[in-house]
Amino acid sequence: MKKFGTKQVMPLLLALLAIVWLVVGLGEFGFWIEGTGPSPAFVPSIISVLLLVMSIVQFITSFKEEPSKYHKDEFLFIGTLVLIFVGIHLIGMLPTMTIFLLVWMKGVEKAPWSHTLIVTIGTMALLIGVFAMWLQVRFPMGLIGDMLF
């Protein structure tokens, strides 16, 4: 039997997440509302069942594979995800995405300031115009935004 490592831990964590989504979704909203149709948890429940099945399959097959080797870029990706998650909870989604675009375009892509500003302003205009104003999507405000507004 191969060594227990991240190739086994990640499917187990995803399976746990799928179970939590399934229990919360079905417990709060149900699967089907009699007479009206699918509940708000209809699609998330189906996705969580699929995630659970795929996680179990991945866990079983993971013992046949070689242990994982990680590279610097993979840790950069994980660190970026963590920083975005923390930023969304602290300062809100729109400011975090603006900062992410600026840092990514200048730091990683080494784009000139003109391209960086055009892409950032255009993306934010689309996000605010289409999602916030037209579709009325409420973006997370973050702890600081909640205190201010």
Side-chain angles (χ1 to χ4, degrees):
M1 185 167 156
K2 300 254 180 176
K3 187 177 176 182
F4 195 83
T6 54
K7 285 200 175 198
Q8 291 77 34
V9 171
M10 288 309 296
L12 290 176
L13 289 175
L14 288 173
L16 180 65
L17 183 65
I19 291 168
V20 168
W21 283 346
L22 192 59
V23 168
V24 169
L26 293 178
E28 286 187 29
F29 301 105
F31 187 72
W32 196 269
I33 300 172
E34 197 63 39
T36 60
S39 77
F42 180 76
V43 172
S45 298
I46 293 171
I47 298 299
S48 62
V49 168
L50 290 173
L51 178 61
L52 180 61
V53 169
M54 295 303 291
S55 297
I56 292 170
V57 169
Q58 180 60 36
F59 177 74
I60 292 169
T61 60
S62 68
F63 290 103
K64 298 176 185 173
E65 301 171 3
E66 293 297 317
S68 298
K69 293 179 183 169
Y70 297 102
H71 304 283
K72 182 182 114 177
D73 291 339
E74 294 165 342
F75 289 111
L76 177 64
F77 177 74
I78 293 168
T80 302
L81 290 178
V82 168
L83 287 175
I84 288 174
F85 182 77
V86 169
I88 288 171
H89 287 310
L90 286 179
I91 63 173
M93 181 170 266
L94 292 176
T96 299
M97 296 315 292
T98 304
I99 292 168
F100 171 76
L101 275 172
L102 289 170
V103 170
W104 185 268
M105 293 286 293
K106 282 306 288 177
V108 177
E109 296 295 326
K110 309 280 191 246
W113 274 109
S114 59
H115 295 168
T116 301
L117 292 175
I118 289 170
V119 168
T120 303
I121 291 169
T123 302
M124 289 301 116
L126 280 171
L127 281 174
I128 293 168
V130 172
F131 291 100
M133 296 173 86
W134 181 28
L135 297 175
Q136 305 280 315
V137 173
R138 294 188 330 232
F139 290 105
M141 296 291 288
L143 294 174
I144 295 172
D146 288 340
M147 285 190 286
L148 293 175
F149 301 107

